[in-house]
Amino acid sequence: MNLAAVWNLPVIFFITNNRYGISTDITYSTKIAHLHERAAAYGMPGHYVEDGNDVIAVYEKMQEVIEYVRAGNGPAMVEVESYRWFGHSTADAGTYRTKDEVNEWKAKDPLKKYRTYLTENKIVTDEELDAIEVEVAEQVEAAVKYAQESPDPDISIAFEDVYVD
């Protein structure tokens, strides 16, 4: 971040604050309440979206920040509050969170919220969205099948395009 600021690079540092660092609640590891406040230490603006599950709010904030960065003003930081429903890894049972906490955040599912926005504003119908979901599931399934049925790559190419010759 410091180098990006010094060199006035056109970069956006995007923080999805899911409230935990592995299994440690952010309030135990960070003194400040909002991570975007750290941007000031690097001489760049910090932006905050309280509801990072609100697709429209995040989109609008990002449009503002993208315009700022593209105008040659240097880097910026954006923090959005969101949540991860599952553990940090498959070995993480999530015992440091209550079921109520997880369920509270699941109720804020950004996909469901955006779907409601789209249908309530008559941008698209439930039927159209259902059709999109089916089409995407079929595309993913076809891609997985293609990958599984494809031959393994030759080991001799493992390091191609990794190092500069």
Side-chain angles (χ1 to χ4, degrees):
M1 289 181 62
N2 186 58
L3 194 55
V6 169
W7 289 352
N8 206 45
L9 298 178
V11 63
I12 298 169
F13 295 95
F14 188 88
I15 300 170
T16 304
N17 184 348
N18 64 23
R19 306 172 56 85
Y20 290 94
I22 302 179
S23 60
T24 303
D25 188 299
I26 193 168
T27 60
Y28 295 129
S29 62
T30 305
K31 182 70 173 172
I32 61 173
H34 301 289
L35 299 175
H36 74 279
E37 294 173 4
R38 293 181 174 187
Y42 298 101
M44 69 179 72
H47 301 268
Y48 179 67
V49 179
E50 182 175 0
D51 186 356
N53 290 346
D54 181 340
V55 174
I56 301 298
V58 174
Y59 175 82
E60 289 173 349
K61 178 54 71 179
M62 289 308 298
Q63 291 306 305
E64 173 191 334
V65 177
I66 289 166
E67 185 177 315
Y68 170 87
V69 170
R70 284 184 176 163
N73 295 304
M77 179 192 291
V78 177
E79 174 189 8
V80 301
E81 295 277 346
S82 192
Y83 198 77
R84 61 175 159 80
W85 301 347
F86 305 101
H88 179 74
S89 69
T90 55
D92 180 356
T95 56
Y96 48 90
R97 305 182 296 181
T98 67
K99 288 192 183 298
D100 287 342
E101 177 183 328
V102 174
N103 289 333
E104 180 182 328
W105 279 93
K106 281 185 176 182
K108 301 175 186 179
D109 181 341
L111 297 177
K112 289 180 182 176
K113 286 176 73 168
Y114 191 53
R115 182 183 184 109
T116 299
Y117 170 85
L118 291 171
T119 56
E120 285 181 355
N121 288 283
K122 310 241 185 287
I123 297 168
V124 69
T125 66
D126 277 317
E127 293 76 22
E128 290 170 314
L129 290 173
D130 291 343
I132 291 169
E133 285 182 17
V134 168
E135 181 183 344
V136 169
E138 290 170 354
Q139 290 175 357
V140 170
E141 188 175 312
V144 168
K145 183 177 185 227
Y146 174 80
Q148 290 173 334
E149 293 175 353
S150 295
D152 290 336
D154 189 279
I155 192 69
S156 67
I157 66 168
F159 293 104
E160 283 184 13
D161 301 317
V162 175
Y163 301 102
V164 175
D165 292 329

